[in-house]
mmCIF file of all heavy atoms in Angstrom:
data_model
loop_
_atom_site.group_PDB
_atom_site.id
_atom_site.type_symbol
_atom_site.label_atom_id
_atom_site.label_comp_id
_atom_site.label_asym_id
_atom_site.label_seq_id
_atom_site.Cartn_x
_atom_site.Cartn_y
_atom_site.Cartn_z
ATOM 1 N N ASP A 1 0.853 -1.178 0.005
ATOM 2 C CA ASP A 1 -0.003 0.038 -0.006
ATOM 3 C C ASP A 1 0.947 1.204 0.014
ATOM 4 O O ASP A 1 1.520 1.622 0.997
ATOM 5 C CB ASP A 1 -0.897 0.004 1.239
ATOM 6 C CG ASP A 1 -1.918 1.137 1.262
ATOM 7 O OD1 ASP A 1 -2.152 1.735 0.110
ATOM 8 O OD2 ASP A 1 -2.427 1.450 2.293
ATOM 9 N N GLY A 2 0.939 1.898 -1.147
ATOM 10 C CA GLY A 2 1.852 3.102 -1.244
ATOM 11 C C GLY A 2 3.117 2.813 -2.063
ATOM 12 O O GLY A 2 3.175 1.801 -2.778
ATOM 13 N N ALA A 3 4.037 3.681 -2.039
ATOM 14 C CA ALA A 3 5.225 3.627 -2.911
ATOM 15 C C ALA A 3 6.422 3.316 -2.033
ATOM 16 O O ALA A 3 6.526 3.549 -0.859
ATOM 17 C CB ALA A 3 5.372 4.912 -3.633
ATOM 18 N N ALA A 4 7.469 2.758 -2.736
ATOM 19 C CA ALA A 4 8.818 2.584 -2.058
ATOM 20 C C ALA A 4 9.921 2.843 -3.053
ATOM 21 O O ALA A 4 9.742 2.618 -4.327
ATOM 22 C CB ALA A 4 8.953 1.131 -1.610
ATOM 23 N N MET A 5 11.016 3.293 -2.559
ATOM 24 C CA MET A 5 12.212 3.482 -3.319
ATOM 25 C C MET A 5 13.225 2.389 -3.097
ATOM 26 O O MET A 5 13.626 2.319 -1.836
ATOM 27 C CB MET A 5 12.807 4.892 -3.338
ATOM 28 C CG MET A 5 13.978 5.170 -4.269
ATOM 29 S SD MET A 5 14.429 6.854 -4.402
ATOM 30 C CE MET A 5 15.201 7.120 -2.873
ATOM 31 N N LEU A 6 13.822 1.788 -4.018
ATOM 32 C CA LEU A 6 14.830 0.819 -3.833
ATOM 33 C C LEU A 6 16.081 1.285 -4.563
ATOM 34 O O LEU A 6 16.057 1.441 -5.661
ATOM 35 C CB LEU A 6 14.330 -0.594 -4.292
ATOM 36 C CG LEU A 6 15.002 -1.870 -3.997
ATOM 37 C CD1 LEU A 6 14.086 -2.971 -4.160
ATOM 38 C CD2 LEU A 6 16.273 -1.973 -4.805
ATOM 39 N N THR A 7 17.156 1.314 -3.819
ATOM 40 C CA THR A 7 18.490 1.724 -4.369
ATOM 41 C C THR A 7 19.424 0.592 -4.282
ATOM 42 O O THR A 7 19.750 0.112 -3.210
ATOM 43 C CB THR A 7 19.003 2.998 -3.605
ATOM 44 O OG1 THR A 7 17.985 4.046 -3.703
ATOM 45 C CG2 THR A 7 20.295 3.499 -4.297
ATOM 46 N N GLU A 8 20.044 0.314 -5.462
ATOM 47 C CA GLU A 8 21.041 -0.773 -5.521
ATOM 48 C C GLU A 8 22.446 -0.125 -5.628
ATOM 49 O O GLU A 8 22.703 0.615 -6.577
ATOM 50 C CB GLU A 8 20.785 -1.628 -6.838
ATOM 51 C CG GLU A 8 21.820 -2.672 -7.100
ATOM 52 C CD GLU A 8 22.007 -3.692 -5.984
ATOM 53 O OE1 GLU A 8 21.065 -4.315 -5.586
ATOM 54 O OE2 GLU A 8 23.142 -3.840 -5.569
ATOM 55 N N THR A 9 23.276 -0.488 -4.596
ATOM 56 C CA THR A 9 24.664 0.166 -4.547
ATOM 57 C C THR A 9 25.736 -0.836 -4.795
ATOM 58 O O THR A 9 26.885 -0.494 -4.880
ATOM 59 C CB THR A 9 24.922 0.795 -3.211
ATOM 60 O OG1 THR A 9 25.009 -0.168 -2.188
ATOM 61 C CG2 THR A 9 23.762 1.801 -2.810
ATOM 62 N N ILE A 10 25.404 -2.122 -4.946
ATOM 63 C CA ILE A 10 26.438 -3.185 -5.052
ATOM 64 C C ILE A 10 26.777 -3.493 -6.484
ATOM 65 O O ILE A 10 27.921 -3.538 -6.912
ATOM 66 C CB ILE A 10 26.019 -4.461 -4.284
ATOM 67 C CG1 ILE A 10 25.608 -4.068 -2.763
ATOM 68 C CG2 ILE A 10 27.182 -5.479 -4.253
ATOM 69 C CD1 ILE A 10 26.658 -3.477 -1.924
ATOM 70 N N PHE A 11 25.767 -3.840 -7.258
ATOM 71 C CA PHE A 11 25.906 -4.311 -8.588
ATOM 72 C C PHE A 11 25.311 -3.370 -9.632
ATOM 73 O O PHE A 11 24.166 -2.838 -9.357
ATOM 74 C CB PHE A 11 25.427 -5.721 -8.854
ATOM 75 C CG PHE A 11 26.110 -6.682 -8.020
ATOM 76 C CD1 PHE A 11 25.436 -7.597 -7.174
ATOM 77 C CD2 PHE A 11 27.522 -6.886 -8.180
ATOM 78 C CE1 PHE A 11 26.141 -8.526 -6.367
ATOM 79 C CE2 PHE A 11 28.190 -7.863 -7.409
ATOM 80 C CZ PHE A 11 27.514 -8.666 -6.531
ATOM 81 N N GLU A 12 25.878 -3.077 -10.721
ATOM 82 C CA GLU A 12 25.458 -2.092 -11.642
ATOM 83 C C GLU A 12 24.432 -2.641 -12.614
ATOM 84 O O GLU A 12 23.755 -1.815 -13.295
ATOM 85 C CB GLU A 12 26.591 -1.626 -12.453
ATOM 86 C CG GLU A 12 27.224 -2.548 -13.613
ATOM 87 C CD GLU A 12 28.116 -3.599 -12.973
ATOM 88 O OE1 GLU A 12 28.295 -3.632 -11.810
ATOM 89 O OE2 GLU A 12 28.716 -4.285 -13.849
ATOM 90 N N ASN A 13 24.118 -3.882 -12.675
ATOM 91 C CA ASN A 13 23.197 -4.455 -13.561
ATOM 92 C C ASN A 13 22.157 -5.400 -12.913
ATOM 93 O O ASN A 13 21.862 -6.414 -13.468
ATOM 94 C CB ASN A 13 23.963 -5.203 -14.682
ATOM 95 C CG ASN A 13 23.062 -5.437 -15.926
ATOM 96 O OD1 ASN A 13 22.161 -4.691 -16.194
ATOM 97 N ND2 ASN A 13 23.406 -6.495 -16.755
ATOM 98 N N ARG A 14 21.616 -4.939 -11.765
ATOM 99 C CA ARG A 14 20.703 -5.870 -10.996
ATOM 100 C C ARG A 14 19.332 -5.484 -11.078
ATOM 101 O O ARG A 14 18.590 -5.823 -10.126
ATOM 102 C CB ARG A 14 21.263 -6.012 -9.568
ATOM 103 C CG ARG A 14 20.924 -7.354 -9.073
ATOM 104 C CD ARG A 14 21.656 -7.802 -7.814
ATOM 105 N NE ARG A 14 21.465 -9.234 -7.711
ATOM 106 C CZ ARG A 14 21.961 -9.970 -6.704
ATOM 107 N NH1 ARG A 14 22.711 -9.418 -5.820
ATOM 108 N NH2 ARG A 14 21.821 -11.267 -6.591
ATOM 109 N N PHE A 15 18.845 -4.834 -12.096
ATOM 110 C CA PHE A 15 17.452 -4.526 -12.275
ATOM 111 C C PHE A 15 16.875 -5.337 -13.437
ATOM 112 O O PHE A 15 15.806 -4.924 -13.925
ATOM 113 C CB PHE A 15 17.148 -3.028 -12.359
ATOM 114 C CG PHE A 15 17.305 -2.266 -11.073
ATOM 115 C CD1 PHE A 15 17.742 -1.006 -11.063
ATOM 116 C CD2 PHE A 15 16.892 -2.848 -9.853
ATOM 117 C CE1 PHE A 15 17.877 -0.253 -9.904
ATOM 118 C CE2 PHE A 15 17.020 -2.142 -8.687
ATOM 119 C CZ PHE A 15 17.471 -0.859 -8.733
ATOM 120 N N MET A 16 17.542 -6.383 -13.936
ATOM 121 C CA MET A 16 17.076 -7.062 -15.090
ATOM 122 C C MET A 16 15.766 -7.712 -14.947
ATOM 123 O O MET A 16 15.060 -8.062 -15.834
ATOM 124 C CB MET A 16 18.142 -8.005 -15.582
ATOM 125 C CG MET A 16 19.385 -7.361 -16.072
ATOM 126 S SD MET A 16 20.490 -8.599 -16.929
ATOM 127 C CE MET A 16 20.880 -9.666 -15.527
ATOM 128 N N HIS A 17 15.338 -7.970 -13.574
ATOM 129 C CA HIS A 17 14.055 -8.587 -13.281
ATOM 130 C C HIS A 17 12.966 -7.625 -13.490
ATOM 131 O O HIS A 17 11.749 -8.093 -13.483
ATOM 132 C CB HIS A 17 14.030 -9.179 -11.883
ATOM 133 C CG HIS A 17 14.559 -8.188 -10.898
ATOM 134 N ND1 HIS A 17 15.930 -7.935 -10.672
ATOM 135 C CD2 HIS A 17 13.863 -7.421 -10.038
ATOM 136 C CE1 HIS A 17 16.016 -7.089 -9.675
ATOM 137 N NE2 HIS A 17 14.802 -6.691 -9.217
ATOM 138 N N VAL A 18 13.165 -6.281 -13.545
ATOM 139 C CA VAL A 18 12.017 -5.329 -13.566
ATOM 140 C C VAL A 18 11.157 -5.641 -14.739
ATOM 141 O O VAL A 18 9.907 -5.597 -14.529
ATOM 142 C CB VAL A 18 12.653 -3.881 -13.579
ATOM 143 C CG1 VAL A 18 11.501 -2.923 -13.865
ATOM 144 C CG2 VAL A 18 13.347 -3.582 -12.194
ATOM 145 N N PRO A 19 11.627 -5.756 -15.952
ATOM 146 C CA PRO A 19 10.652 -5.995 -17.077
ATOM 147 C C PRO A 19 9.679 -7.254 -16.838
ATOM 148 O O PRO A 19 8.582 -7.261 -17.248
ATOM 149 C CB PRO A 19 11.522 -6.199 -18.331
ATOM 150 C CG PRO A 19 12.747 -5.442 -17.939
ATOM 151 C CD PRO A 19 12.963 -5.653 -16.466
ATOM 152 N N GLU A 20 10.332 -8.270 -16.170
ATOM 153 C CA GLU A 20 9.520 -9.462 -15.961
ATOM 154 C C GLU A 20 8.491 -9.242 -14.882
ATOM 155 O O GLU A 20 7.404 -9.692 -14.982
ATOM 156 C CB GLU A 20 10.497 -10.587 -15.615
ATOM 157 C CG GLU A 20 11.528 -10.949 -16.618
ATOM 158 C CD GLU A 20 10.815 -11.269 -18.007
ATOM 159 O OE1 GLU A 20 9.911 -12.164 -18.032
ATOM 160 O OE2 GLU A 20 11.197 -10.653 -19.015
ATOM 161 N N LEU A 21 8.886 -8.505 -13.824
ATOM 162 C CA LEU A 21 7.804 -8.098 -12.748
ATOM 163 C C LEU A 21 6.664 -7.313 -13.362
ATOM 164 O O LEU A 21 5.588 -7.377 -12.967
ATOM 165 C CB LEU A 21 8.560 -7.367 -11.654
ATOM 166 C CG LEU A 21 9.530 -8.287 -10.768
ATOM 167 C CD1 LEU A 21 10.164 -7.395 -9.646
ATOM 168 C CD2 LEU A 21 8.859 -9.463 -10.184
ATOM 169 N N VAL A 22 7.043 -6.354 -14.305
ATOM 170 C CA VAL A 22 6.112 -5.459 -14.904
ATOM 171 C C VAL A 22 5.007 -6.335 -15.695
ATOM 172 O O VAL A 22 3.956 -5.931 -15.746
ATOM 173 C CB VAL A 22 6.774 -4.496 -15.886
ATOM 174 C CG1 VAL A 22 5.796 -3.819 -16.720
ATOM 175 C CG2 VAL A 22 7.592 -3.545 -15.012
ATOM 176 N N ARG A 23 5.477 -7.517 -16.225
ATOM 177 C CA ARG A 23 4.575 -8.379 -16.879
ATOM 178 C C ARG A 23 3.347 -8.825 -15.937
ATOM 179 O O ARG A 23 2.319 -9.205 -16.483
ATOM 180 C CB ARG A 23 5.244 -9.540 -17.468
ATOM 181 C CG ARG A 23 6.189 -9.240 -18.643
ATOM 182 C CD ARG A 23 6.903 -10.418 -19.156
ATOM 183 N NE ARG A 23 6.029 -11.424 -19.603
ATOM 184 C CZ ARG A 23 5.527 -11.499 -20.924
ATOM 185 N NH1 ARG A 23 5.808 -10.522 -21.721
ATOM 186 N NH2 ARG A 23 4.692 -12.472 -21.293
ATOM 187 N N PHE A 24 3.585 -8.848 -14.668
ATOM 188 C CA PHE A 24 2.477 -9.151 -13.753
ATOM 189 C C PHE A 24 1.625 -7.950 -13.651
ATOM 190 O O PHE A 24 0.508 -8.111 -12.909
ATOM 191 C CB PHE A 24 3.089 -9.568 -12.375
ATOM 192 C CG PHE A 24 3.844 -10.821 -12.324
ATOM 193 C CD1 PHE A 24 5.144 -10.856 -12.423
ATOM 194 C CD2 PHE A 24 3.133 -12.068 -11.927
ATOM 195 C CE1 PHE A 24 5.843 -12.063 -12.347
ATOM 196 C CE2 PHE A 24 3.795 -13.163 -11.813
ATOM 197 C CZ PHE A 24 5.176 -13.262 -12.053
ATOM 198 N N GLY A 25 1.955 -6.801 -14.040
ATOM 199 C CA GLY A 25 1.201 -5.537 -13.775
ATOM 200 C C GLY A 25 1.827 -4.653 -12.774
ATOM 201 O O GLY A 25 1.290 -3.661 -12.395
ATOM 202 N N ALA A 26 3.076 -5.058 -12.349
ATOM 203 C CA ALA A 26 3.751 -4.223 -11.341
ATOM 204 C C ALA A 26 4.022 -2.850 -11.889
ATOM 205 O O ALA A 26 4.451 -2.739 -13.036
ATOM 206 C CB ALA A 26 4.989 -4.923 -10.790
ATOM 207 N N ASN A 27 3.954 -1.813 -10.983
ATOM 208 C CA ASN A 27 4.255 -0.494 -11.389
ATOM 209 C C ASN A 27 5.660 -0.065 -10.923
ATOM 210 O O ASN A 27 5.827 0.247 -9.743
ATOM 211 C CB ASN A 27 3.201 0.498 -10.847
ATOM 212 C CG ASN A 27 3.307 1.883 -11.281
ATOM 213 O OD1 ASN A 27 4.409 2.283 -11.859
ATOM 214 N ND2 ASN A 27 2.321 2.669 -11.132
ATOM 215 N N ILE A 28 6.663 -0.230 -11.745
ATOM 216 C CA ILE A 28 8.086 -0.047 -11.416
ATOM 217 C C ILE A 28 8.670 0.891 -12.329
ATOM 218 O O ILE A 28 8.635 0.637 -13.598
ATOM 219 C CB ILE A 28 8.768 -1.377 -11.311
ATOM 220 C CG1 ILE A 28 8.062 -2.287 -10.388
ATOM 221 C CG2 ILE A 28 10.267 -1.069 -10.829
ATOM 222 C CD1 ILE A 28 8.665 -3.733 -10.403
ATOM 223 N N ASN A 29 9.410 1.978 -11.932
ATOM 224 C CA ASN A 29 10.151 2.889 -12.770
ATOM 225 C C ASN A 29 11.597 2.879 -12.291
ATOM 226 O O ASN A 29 11.861 3.213 -11.075
ATOM 227 C CB ASN A 29 9.498 4.283 -12.731
ATOM 228 C CG ASN A 29 8.198 4.322 -13.517
ATOM 229 O OD1 ASN A 29 8.047 4.073 -14.659
ATOM 230 N ND2 ASN A 29 7.104 4.534 -12.623
ATOM 231 N N VAL A 30 12.503 2.669 -13.176
ATOM 232 C CA VAL A 30 13.924 2.611 -12.897
ATOM 233 C C VAL A 30 14.588 3.997 -13.242
ATOM 234 O O VAL A 30 14.345 4.481 -14.367
ATOM 235 C CB VAL A 30 14.672 1.459 -13.525
ATOM 236 C CG1 VAL A 30 16.120 1.491 -13.316
ATOM 237 C CG2 VAL A 30 14.086 0.128 -13.053
ATOM 238 N N HIS A 31 15.296 4.551 -12.314
ATOM 239 C CA HIS A 31 16.087 5.792 -12.556
ATOM 240 C C HIS A 31 17.525 5.560 -12.087
ATOM 241 O O HIS A 31 17.875 5.669 -10.946
ATOM 242 C CB HIS A 31 15.451 6.952 -11.835
ATOM 243 C CG HIS A 31 14.007 7.241 -12.182
ATOM 244 N ND1 HIS A 31 13.553 7.902 -13.199
ATOM 245 C CD2 HIS A 31 12.897 6.733 -11.467
ATOM 246 C CE1 HIS A 31 12.305 7.901 -13.199
ATOM 247 N NE2 HIS A 31 11.759 7.209 -12.244
ATOM 248 N N GLY A 32 18.361 5.211 -13.036
ATOM 249 C CA GLY A 32 19.726 4.867 -12.644
ATOM 250 C C GLY A 32 19.879 3.706 -11.674
ATOM 251 O O GLY A 32 19.454 2.568 -11.993
ATOM 252 N N LYS A 33 20.409 3.984 -10.478
ATOM 253 C CA LYS A 33 20.603 2.960 -9.484
ATOM 254 C C LYS A 33 19.367 2.797 -8.576
ATOM 255 O O LYS A 33 19.448 1.988 -7.679
ATOM 256 C CB LYS A 33 21.809 3.290 -8.610
ATOM 257 C CG LYS A 33 23.181 3.271 -9.336
ATOM 258 C CD LYS A 33 24.207 3.561 -8.389
ATOM 259 C CE LYS A 33 25.638 3.380 -9.124
ATOM 260 N NZ LYS A 33 26.751 3.663 -8.152
ATOM 261 N N SER A 34 18.291 3.547 -8.877
ATOM 262 C CA SER A 34 17.099 3.463 -7.977
ATOM 263 C C SER A 34 15.946 3.096 -8.748
ATOM 264 O O SER A 34 15.808 3.341 -9.966
ATOM 265 C CB SER A 34 16.875 4.756 -7.247
ATOM 266 O OG SER A 34 17.945 5.075 -6.366
ATOM 267 N N ALA A 35 14.988 2.403 -8.176
ATOM 268 C CA ALA A 35 13.734 2.038 -8.694
ATOM 269 C C ALA A 35 12.586 2.529 -7.813
ATOM 270 O O ALA A 35 12.668 2.394 -6.597
ATOM 271 C CB ALA A 35 13.558 0.535 -8.930
ATOM 272 N N ILE A 36 11.543 3.168 -8.352
ATOM 273 C CA ILE A 36 10.365 3.494 -7.607
ATOM 274 C C ILE A 36 9.284 2.462 -7.864
ATOM 275 O O ILE A 36 8.978 2.197 -9.071
ATOM 276 C CB ILE A 36 9.834 4.908 -8.083
ATOM 277 C CG1 ILE A 36 10.967 5.945 -7.943
ATOM 278 C CG2 ILE A 36 8.595 5.223 -7.305
ATOM 279 C CD1 ILE A 36 11.340 6.213 -6.491
#
């Protein structure tokens, strides 16, 4: 319920799962090292 920001500081390419989560209908926007 609501929004969250997730910031990845360890690996530079660790948001590859985002497009797959979006296929479920998830609302995720990636901005550099962070995702809303």
Side-chain angles (χ1 to χ4, degrees):
D1 185 20
M5 184 167 73
L6 194 159
T7 303
E8 173 60 55
T9 70
I10 308 297
F11 296 124
E12 74 276 10
N13 196 25
R14 208 166 197 178
F15 285 147
M16 292 190 298
H17 49 281
V18 169
E20 300 304 306
L21 293 176
V22 169
R23 291 179 60 83
F24 290 92
N27 186 344
I28 305 170
N29 292 293
V30 176
H31 305 276
K33 293 182 177 181
S34 296
I36 304 294

